[in-house]
Amino acid sequence: MEMDLCAPTKGRPREFDIDDALAAALRVFWSKGYEGASLTELTEAMGITRPSLYAAFGNKESLFRKALDLYEREKLAYMRAALDAPTAKGVAERLLRGALASQCSECEPKGCLGVISSVACGAEAEAIREEVIKRRQSSHKALVERFEQAKRDGDLAADADIDGLTGYIFAVMQGMAVQAGAGAKREDLERVLETSLMMWPGR
Amino acid sequence: MEMDLCAPTKGRPREFDIDDALAAALRVFWSKGYEGASLTELTEAMGITRPSLYAAFGNKESLFRKALDLYEREKLAYMRAALDAPTAKGVAERLLRGALASQCSECEPKGCLGVISSVACGAEAEAIREEVIKRRQSSHKALVERFEQAKRDGDLAADADIDGLTGYIFAVMQGMAVQAGAGAKREDLERVLETSLMMWPGR
DNA sequence: CCATTTCCATAACGGACGGTATATAATGTC
DNA sequence: GACATTATATACCGTCCGTTATGGAAATGG
């Protein structure tokens, strides 16, 4: 199903670019949240009508999931890349700098879609919320494993609390996201980042 | 106005306790957010009907503001108390421990109403969101002033970045709130707290 | 050229939302 | 006891929500 490769080329071709439309939808979800983004706002931003949206993406929830895929693929790439840093502190630094760049880009919504979508919501969005939380857990797990490697490498102390460190670095990133979404200036978050980095043990 | 003292005692007395009702409303807002909390959920939790709610609290927005007042008065008291700690690190520790207790109470919703209400939302809740952000700024300012005092006292280095430290400690608390709202266990957040505290400079 | 397929545009659907009008019940005042 | 006042109960309002039915336009395959 959905074999979009080798387009069918039968019938009238769609008049909009599906990737552009999805990117536009992502921006709306990113700034308003799942529930806060109405179909009217979405279709206006995407430049298409409601039936076109439903034909191309299924429904609102499935559109959000596709937007979330795009977000993780493009905007959260820094997370995977950060794990390649040579030391634990290097990983932390790349994570924080990547979060800052992603949350404070000039031409995109402030904050983090994952944070926005994982906080409290109405009943209808509960399924979305749980999915976002589940996806975050896999990132969490990857960072735990990277820090375990760091402990073996010796750049984390043998008695370091790895779960604590992982939760901590996520907390700083999430806190930055909250503040970015609340209108904090980029330089404010830069100082938060530097402060946190300064405290990180070792090098 | 609103001289509720020396109750008027004229007309039919209301059959519910207004403070209990407000506390119940707070719990709903706290777990669902402003938009996620419907009038149906609110009235059911408060044990009153819609007209009673409107007669006693005005409308949904004004009910939320009163609930927010209650929240800040009761659940955020630890913030004011924390400023009395003798050292900057003591302030940080009290803030983090207070946040943990408030966000992970067994008998109340997880997370932080301020965080929940300050992230992205629909258009109708924008005014609420801005008010919550404004209230947080006054807390921020109070902590900045406390840290400036700490610098004069000598328990913060003369070249310490006070705005950075303040934003940082708020970020950790907000990150803990995000994780608490996402279902993190209390012991997880306790380790985040201890990790952050361990890194704090000085004593 | 026709049939088919797919898309676009309009407009409507049922339902939930926040908010109220109306009528009735319960109190204090005179 | 009659009146003024306030709270409750029921039922309803208009609006917006996500979703879809309908009708026609545009492109391809035969």
Side-chain angles (χ1 to χ4, degrees):
Chain A
M1 51 215 65
E2 290 268 334
M3 293 301 287
D4 256 350
L5 322 176
C6 178
T9 71
K10 205 160 25 172
R12 176 178 174 178
R14 67 163 52 92
E15 295 177 356
F16 62 94
D17 183 290
I18 201 165
D19 293 321
D20 292 348
L22 184 58
L26 169 57
R27 288 177 53 88
V28 178
F29 283 130
W30 193 348
S31 52
K32 300 293 189 75
Y34 176 71
E35 288 177 301
S38 74
L39 278 189
T40 303
E41 284 172 304
L42 284 165
T43 51
E44 282 177 359
M46 300 165 81
I48 64 177
T49 61
R50 288 158 119 95
S52 298
L53 189 154
Y54 277 80
F57 300 101
N59 61 7
K60 187 185 180 184
E61 179 169 340
S62 136
L63 171 64
F64 179 85
R65 288 191 147 86
K66 291 182 169 68
L68 190 57
D69 290 336
L70 174 62
Y71 180 78
E72 294 196 336
R73 193 174 340 118
E74 296 205 344
K75 313 301 176 190
L76 261 42
Y78 73 86
M79 282 212 179
R80 288 182 294 279
L83 301 182
D84 296 333
T87 67
K89 183 164 184 176
V91 172
E93 174 162 7
R94 286 198 198 177
L95 283 175
L96 293 176
R97 295 203 185 280
L100 176 71
S102 176
Q103 293 164 9
C104 289
S105 163
E106 285 297 331
C107 48
E108 269 163 330
K110 311 297 182 187
C112 167
L113 180 62
V115 169
I116 289 169
S117 311
S118 70
V119 297
C121 61
E124 67 181 20
E126 203 66 36
I128 292 285
R129 176 166 166 263
E130 287 171 12
E131 158 127 13
V132 171
I133 291 174
K134 182 180 296 182
R135 293 197 190 196
R136 177 154 64 218
Q137 285 170 347
S138 77
S139 300
H140 185 99
K141 189 177 167 196
L143 186 54
V144 165
E145 287 167 1
R146 178 62 187 86
F147 280 165
E148 281 169 350
Q149 179 61 44
K151 187 177 275 193
R152 288 191 290 273
D153 293 344
D155 57 285
L156 272 185
D159 63 342
D161 179 355
I162 286 184
D163 283 322
L165 274 175
T166 303
Y168 164 80
I169 198 75
F170 266 97
V172 175
M173 289 193 290
Q174 288 156 352
M176 286 170 60
V178 169
Q179 294 179 24
K185 294 193 291 274
R186 183 196 182 90
E187 65 179 62
D188 294 332
L189 294 188
E190 220 149 16
R191 290 158 93 162
V192 171
L193 185 163
E194 297 297 343
T195 300
S196 174
L197 224 48
M198 190 181 310
M199 294 181 181
W200 189 275
R203 68 189 65 246
Chain B
M1 44 218 74
E2 288 267 335
M3 295 297 288
D4 255 352
L5 323 175
C6 179
T9 72
K10 204 160 28 173
R12 176 176 174 177
R14 67 164 49 93
E15 297 177 357
F16 63 94
D17 183 289
I18 201 166
D19 293 322
D20 292 348
L22 184 59
L26 170 56
R27 289 177 51 88
V28 178
F29 284 130
W30 193 348
S31 53
K32 302 292 189 77
Y34 175 70
E35 289 176 302
S38 73
L39 278 188
T40 303
E41 284 172 304
L42 285 166
T43 51
E44 282 177 0
M46 300 165 82
I48 63 178
T49 61
R50 284 158 118 93
S52 296
L53 189 155
Y54 277 80
F57 300 101
N59 60 9
K60 188 185 179 184
E61 179 169 342
S62 134
L63 171 64
F64 179 86
R65 289 192 146 84
K66 291 182 169 66
L68 189 59
D69 290 337
L70 174 61
Y71 181 78
E72 294 195 337
R73 192 173 342 116
E74 296 205 344
K75 314 301 176 190
L76 261 43
Y78 73 86
M79 282 211 179
R80 288 181 295 279
L83 301 183
D84 297 334
T87 67
K89 181 165 185 176
V91 171
E93 173 162 8
R94 286 199 198 176
L95 283 176
L96 292 176
R97 295 203 186 282
L100 177 71
S102 176
Q103 293 165 9
C104 289
S105 164
E106 286 296 332
C107 48
E108 268 162 330
K110 311 297 181 187
C112 168
L113 180 61
V115 169
I116 289 169
S117 312
S118 69
V119 295
C121 61
E124 67 181 21
E126 203 66 35
I128 291 286
R129 175 165 167 264
E130 287 172 11
E131 158 126 14
V132 170
I133 290 173
K134 183 180 296 180
R135 293 197 190 197
R136 177 155 65 219
Q137 286 170 345
S138 77
S139 300
H140 185 100
K141 189 177 166 195
L143 185 54
V144 165
E145 288 167 359
R146 178 63 186 85
F147 280 165
E148 282 169 349
Q149 179 60 44
K151 188 177 275 193
R152 288 190 291 273
D153 293 345
D155 57 286
L156 273 185
D159 63 343
D161 179 356
I162 285 183
D163 283 321
L165 274 175
T166 303
Y168 163 80
I169 198 75
F170 266 97
V172 175
M173 289 193 290
Q174 288 155 352
M176 286 170 60
V178 169
Q179 294 180 23
K185 293 193 293 273
R186 184 197 182 90
E187 67 179 60
D188 295 331
L189 295 188
E190 220 149 17
R191 290 159 94 162
V192 172
L193 184 163
E194 297 296 345
T195 299
S196 173
L197 224 49
M198 191 180 308
M199 295 181 180
W200 190 274
R203 67 189 68 247

